[in-house]
Amino acid sequence: MTRVLVLGGTAEARELAAALDDAGVPVISSLAGRVANPRLPPGEVRVGGFGGRDALARWLADERIGAVVDATHPFAERISVSASHACAAIGVPLLRLERPGWAPGEGDRWHRVPDLAAAADLAPRLGRRALLTTGRQGLAAFAAVKDVWFLVRCVETPAPPLPPEHELVLDRGPYTLEGELALVDRHRIDHVITKDSGGRLTEAKLDAARTHGLPVIVVDRPPRPAVRTVASVDEALDWAHPG
């Protein structure tokens, strides 16, 4: 039976690994290892990088992987590029499983920007107290912003440099609207900064911003390699385990 590699780290990747395991499909989940205590999926788990596209291609061949599902975070650019090149080089089918991005609703005050540097540049023009939820990587982009106090929320402690005026909150979703409203009120937040990660686990901050009429800086997703892409675990399961 075909061995499937799931490039993971997302809730969708864990769900897919569980579904493949339940179906009796040999599945290996690969995690980057950036989180100390990740939520492990069923089946075999591999932690750590591959060492680039050529090393990944060799690993796929050595392990006799028959299909790869790239279910990494929408902002995990490097591994997606490596997977695209490695799979093409040795003829292994590749599918991208990517949750849909968020879409603004009625009453939203969104400001879309192409990257974190643009978000840092815009932040002082929108307010003085920001909820910053872009993850612990890339916070250096805000290290020179002196006119904004940031409530930085991450899963794990980030490495410096950090914004000069900030408070750090270590927390992991899912979040509720009630909790996010309380957080915004307690810290007198006047704008929110987030990546367009999509998904329901962390979207309550957008609902809270809408409720209070707060502006939101939304960092757009980076471009992805041109591979077949689906938006649901069921579609990915049908592709990896047809019939």
Side-chain angles (χ1 to χ4, degrees), residues 5 16 30 65 69 80 93 95-96 125 148 168 174 190 194 225:
L5 172 66
L16 177 60
S30 175
I65 300 299
V69 179
S80 292
L95 180 75
R96 171 73 182 161
R125 288 179 270 162
V148 179
L168 181 63
D190 57 22
T194 184

Side-chain angles (χ1 to χ4, degrees), residues 211-235:
T211 299
H212 280 330
L214 304 182
V216 180
I217 299 174
V218 180
V219 180
D220 285 332
R221 296 178 176 185
R224 289 286 180 173
V227 302
R228 181 178 176 182
T229 300
V230 297
S232 73
V233 171
D234 286 343
E235 290 173 291

Side-chain angles (χ1 to χ4, degrees), residues 104-110 206-216:
E106 183 177 355
D108 282 332
R109 299 170 57 196
W110 284 18
L206 301 176
D207 298 330
R210 182 185 308 117
T211 299
H212 280 330
L214 304 182
V216 180

Side-chain angles (χ1 to χ4, degrees), residues 139-201:
L139 290 175
F142 300 88
V145 181
K146 299 179 180 179
D147 297 328
V148 179
W149 178 89
F150 293 94
L151 181 63
V152 180
R153 185 166 67 192
C154 302
V155 174
E156 294 189 343
T157 304
L162 301 176
E165 297 293 334
H166 76 274
E167 180 178 331
L168 181 63
V169 175
L170 300 182
D171 199 3
R172 186 200 298 262
Y175 303 105
T176 66
L177 175 57
E178 294 75 16
E180 297 293 70
L181 287 172
L183 187 76
V184 166
D185 291 340
R186 183 164 64 252
H187 294 280
R188 307 191 310 281
I189 299 299
D190 57 22
H191 65 295
V192 175
I193 306 172
T194 184
K195 291 178 177 177
D196 186 12
S197 299
R200 300 186 61 83
L201 291 180

Side-chain angles (χ1 to χ4, degrees), residues 72-103:
T72 55
H73 191 275
F75 285 81
E77 302 174 65
R78 187 176 303 174
I79 184 59
S80 292
V81 172
S82 291
S84 175
H85 285 275
C87 288
I90 63 172
V92 172
L94 171 65
L95 180 75
R96 171 73 182 161
L97 169 57
E98 182 170 282
R99 70 180 76 122
W102 290 312

